[in-house]
Amino acid sequence: MQRFKIFALSSIAAFITSCQTHYYSNYKDHHIVTTDSYGLYHHYPTHKVSDGRLENAKKATEEKLDSLEHLYTNEDYDEILLFVHGGLNNEADRIKRARDITESIQRENKNSKRKVFPIFITWNSGLFSSFGWHLTNDYAGVNTRDPDGAFDDLAVALSAPTRFSTDVASGAAAIPVNTLEIIRKGLLNIDTVYKANREACTLRHAVATNMKRYLPDQDFENKLYDNYYYHPEGGSNLPFEFSLGKNTSTAQSRLSGIVNVVGFPVTLPLSFAYDALGTPSWNNMMRRAKTLTYRHPTMIKYEDTEAGAEDGILCQLFALIKGWQKTKPTLKVSLVGHSMGTIVLNEGFRAMQASPKRLGIKVDRIIYMGAACSIRDFNDTVGNYMKQNPNCETFNLCLHPKREIGEKLYPAAPIVVTGSLLVWIDEFFEKPRDFKERTLGCFENCLAAPLHLPQSNKFHIKAFGSRMSFINKLVPQEGPQKHGEFTAYKFWEPNFYEPSNKFNKPYSLVP
C-alpha cells in the first residue's frame, strides 16, 4: 500500500511537472509552430510526421494552440507578430532563426511599452527534401504514394528513376536558353551597357519610362538607381511611397565582374543543375506552401473534414487570433512573410475572404520581404484586403536591383550562376505568362508597372542600398545584400521597413 501511495504521488508530480514543462520550459520554442510535408503540425524535435492523417496531428495541434493561448493570456500584449519563412530552409536553420528572433523580441519587451507576442510558422521547404518528394510522392498535383499500400515501394522504385531522367533531360534541353539568360543578366548589371543602348535593357528602361510619366521633373534615366526617395503628395499621380538605397561601386564589385566573365565556362554547366533540380523542387515547395491553408485533398486519410476546407494550421492560428481580438479590440496584428512565406500568407488572406466570420482578423501591418509571390496573387489577396481595410499598411521590401541581378552564393568564385531566387523564379521556375505573374519582391518589376500595384498611400516599397564584396559580410549601414539576409535584421523595427531618404542610418541586426 505504501509503495502504491508513493507511486501515485510520483505520478501526480510527474504529470504536474510535464504540464509545467509543456508551457514554461524552453520558452522560445513555444512560439514556434512546426509543420510537416503535409502541412500538419508536428512536434519538434521528435519529428513525428502525420502521414497525412489528421488523427496523428490533431492532439499535438490542440496542445500547441492551448500552449499559445496560455502564453498569450499570461501577459498583456499590444501586438501579435506572425512570421512565415521562405523556401530553401532546412529545419535546423529555421528553428534557430525563430529562436533568435524570439529572444530578441522578448528582450525588447522588457524595456518597451509596446509588448509584442511573436508566432513563427515553420514549414518543410528544404531543397533536397522537396526534390525527393517530387520523385517519390507527388505528381501533377496528386499524391501518388500510399504508406499502407502493398505495392507502394515497387511503384516508387519504378517512377522515381523515370521522373529523375525526365528532369535531367529537361535541364539539358534548356542549356541554350539558360546560356543566353546568363549573358543577358550579366550585361544588365553594367551601367555603360545600359547608357549605350537603353532600350536593350528592357526592364530597366521600362522603369525609367513609366516613372517619367508620373514624375516628369525627375531624372530617372540617370539617377533612379543611385539613391532615390519619393513620398506621395496631394494630387500626385503616383499614390504610393518608394525609396531606393545608394549603389556603392567598389574595387571588389568591379573585380567580381571580371571574375564572372573569366569563369563563365565554369558557371554555364551549373545552369543545367539549377534547372533540372530547381524547377521540380520549386513546384513541390509551392504545393507545401499552400497546404498550410488548404490541405492536399488526395492526402486526406480521414473522414471528418471536407477536402479543401480552410482547416490548415494557418487558418487555425487566424481563428485563435480572432478570438484574442474579440477580447481585446485594440490588439494589433502584423503579418510578416519572407520569400515564399508571402505565398503562404496570400493563401491565408484568400481563406479570410472565403470565411470572414471565422477567420477575418484585423491586420494593421503587412511586411513582405523579398516576396516570391506574383504581383497578380498579391493584388488578388492583400490588395483586396487593403481595399476593404483602408487603414492597413503594407511594406514591400526589396534588394537593390544591382544586388537582385548580381547575387552570388560565393561572390569571389565563379561557381554559382548569378541572380537571386526571385530572378530564377521569373526567368526559369515559374515561366510567367504575363507581367503580372512576375515576382512582387523585385523592385524593377514593381516600378516598371506601377498601375499593377495597390493605388494607395498605405502601400510602400523600399529597396535597400547595395555594397558588393567578396566575403559578403552583412553591412548594417546598407541593409540586406542577399535574398536570404532579410531575417538577419530586426525587420519589425520601423527604421527597417519604412521607406526613407536617410540612407546613412544603420540598421539593427538580430543578435
Side-chain angles (χ1 to χ4, degrees):
M1 186 68 178
Q2 185 67 21
R3 288 182 179 179
F4 174 77
K5 288 181 179 179
I6 294 173
F7 173 78
L9 290 173
S10 300
S11 300
I12 294 172
F15 174 76
I16 294 173
T17 303
S18 67
C19 291
Q20 290 175 338
T21 301
H22 176 71
Y23 285 118
Y24 298 112
S25 72
N26 200 7
Y27 72 93
K28 290 176 286 188
D29 285 0
H30 291 308
H31 294 267
I32 305 172
V33 180
T34 54
T35 62
D36 59 19
S37 297
Y38 298 89
L40 294 170
Y41 176 76
H42 76 109
H43 279 300
Y44 178 86
T46 57
H47 301 288
K48 181 180 180 181
V49 297
S50 63
D51 289 331
R53 294 176 173 85
L54 179 64
E55 59 267 24
N56 289 349
K58 191 171 183 179
K59 183 178 179 181
T61 304
E62 290 173 352
E63 289 178 351
K64 169 55 70 173
L65 295 175
D66 288 344
S67 177
L68 288 171
E69 177 76 34
H70 185 90
L71 285 173
Y72 171 76
T73 54
N74 266 355
E75 290 192 46
D76 185 21
Y77 289 97
D78 304 296
E79 180 179 345
I80 305 298
L81 180 72
L82 178 61
F83 173 80
V84 186
H85 67 78
L88 302 177
N89 280 280
N90 63 55
E91 188 161 55
D93 288 343
R94 58 184 182 256
I95 293 294
K96 181 182 184 305
R97 174 54 56 187
R99 287 172 174 168
D100 292 343
I101 296 172
T102 298
E103 191 171 5
S104 182
I105 290 176
Q106 294 284 17
R107 281 197 300 267
E108 292 179 2
N109 282 347
K110 295 178 181 179
N111 303 314
S112 174
K113 294 182 180 179
R114 169 192 173 218
K115 294 193 179 299
V116 178
F117 185 82
I119 302 175
F120 300 88
I121 297 179
T122 74
W123 54 286
N124 194 345
S125 63
L127 173 63
F128 295 106
S129 170
S130 298
F131 186 73
W133 188 284
H134 151 74
L135 293 179
T136 60
N137 285 65
D138 208 44
Y139 184 75
V142 175
N143 179 242
T144 57
R145 188 173 189 179
D146 182 2
D148 300 326
F151 300 102
D152 186 64
D153 292 338
L154 176 61
V156 170
L158 293 174
S159 64
T162 305
R163 295 181 188 179
F164 181 76
S165 62
T166 302
D167 296 332
V168 171
S170 176
I175 286 178
V177 68
N178 287 352
T179 302
L180 291 175
E181 287 302 315
I182 292 168
I183 295 172
R184 183 183 68 85
K185 286 187 294 181
L187 292 175
L188 289 179
N189 231 10
I190 302 174
D191 289 334
T192 53
V193 173
Y194 172 70
K195 292 177 182 179
N197 191 350
R198 287 180 166 86
E199 293 186 3
C201 301
T202 311
L203 196 56
R204 184 168 175 178
H205 183 61
V207 172
T209 302
N210 277 293
M211 288 297 99
K212 284 167 68 176
R213 289 181 183 141
Y214 294 101
L215 304 167
D217 58 328
Q218 302 296 320
D219 183 13
F220 287 99
E221 288 284 2
N222 299 308
K223 294 184 179 179
L224 177 60
Y225 283 56
D226 189 21
N227 201 340
Y228 191 88
Y229 173 75
Y230 166 77
H231 182 74
E233 299 176 356
S236 171
N237 292 325
L238 198 63
F240 56 80
E241 180 185 38
F242 71 90
S243 67
L244 178 66
K246 186 176 181 180
N247 174 38
T248 305
S249 178
T250 65
Q252 288 187 357
S253 66
R254 290 188 287 273
L255 183 57
S256 179
I258 298 173
V259 170
N260 287 342
V261 173
V262 174
F264 181 73
V266 179
T267 302
L268 178 59
L270 290 172
S271 67
F272 156 75
Y274 269 47
D275 208 333
L277 180 66
T279 300
S281 299
W282 163 261
N283 290 334
N284 195 264
M285 278 185 270
M286 284 287 287
R287 193 270 311 164
R288 289 179 175 178
K290 297 187 178 185
T291 56
L292 297 173
T293 303
Y294 305 94
R295 285 200 301 280
H296 202 311
T298 64
M299 290 179 183
I300 295 177
K301 312 294 184 184
Y302 50 88
E303 299 177 353
D304 60 343
T305 301
E306 183 180 355
E310 301 90 0
D311 56 2
I313 191 65
L314 180 62
C315 293
Q316 294 184 58
L317 288 172
F318 279 178
L320 183 66
I321 294 171
K322 185 175 178 65
W324 294 344
Q325 286 190 321
K326 281 184 178 180
T327 305
K328 185 177 181 179
T330 59
L331 180 67
K332 295 184 180 297
V333 174
S334 293
L335 300 183
V336 184
H338 174 229
S339 190
M340 291 188 76
T342 62
I343 297 171
V344 175
L345 290 177
N346 285 353
E347 289 299 315
F349 279 102
R350 192 170 278 116
M352 273 197 270
Q353 294 175 17
S355 302
K357 291 184 179 180
R358 186 168 70 92
L359 306 174
I361 61 176
K362 179 180 176 294
V363 182
D364 298 271
R365 185 182 300 109
I366 302 166
I367 303 173
Y368 277 11
M369 304 183 295
C373 66
S374 70
I375 294 172
R376 173 176 281 117
D377 188 38
F378 174 79
N379 280 327
D380 289 346
T381 54
V382 176
N384 284 337
Y385 184 87
M386 292 179 67
K387 289 178 183 178
Q388 299 167 6
N389 301 270
N391 291 325
C392 176
E393 289 204 79
T394 299
F395 300 87
N396 182 30
L397 308 184
C398 314
L399 293 179
H400 192 283
K402 290 279 189 177
R403 299 303 292 127
E404 200 80 72
I405 296 174
E407 179 184 328
K408 293 174 67 178
L409 185 61
Y410 300 105
I415 60 174
V416 177
V417 182
T418 60
S420 75
L421 176 62
L422 301 190
V423 172
W424 281 84
I425 293 171
D426 283 341
E427 303 295 342
F428 301 107
F429 300 158
E430 273 295 304
K431 298 177 176 61
R433 297 170 183 84
D434 64 23
F435 199 83
K436 282 188 176 182
E437 292 186 358
R438 292 179 68 86
T439 52
L440 174 76
C442 175
F443 183 81
E444 286 185 318
N445 286 345
C446 291
L447 292 196
L451 290 180
H452 290 341
L453 303 172
Q455 303 299 291
S456 167
N457 61 3
K458 297 293 185 179
F459 180 66
H460 316 271
I461 307 173
K462 180 177 184 177
F464 293 88
S466 170
R467 182 182 290 274
M468 176 69 177
S469 67
F470 280 161
I471 53 177
N472 205 67
K473 286 184 178 179
L474 281 176
V475 185
Q477 186 85 0
E478 305 293 342
Q481 302 295 295
K482 287 184 177 182
H483 181 75
E485 290 180 351
F486 283 92
T487 56
Y489 293 84
K490 293 185 178 180
F491 52 79
W492 58 92
E493 290 188 348
N495 174 49
F496 184 76
Y497 61 74
E498 289 181 349
S500 173
N501 58 354
K502 299 177 181 178
F503 295 106
N504 292 324
K505 188 174 182 179
Y507 303 107
S508 299
L509 292 169
V510 176

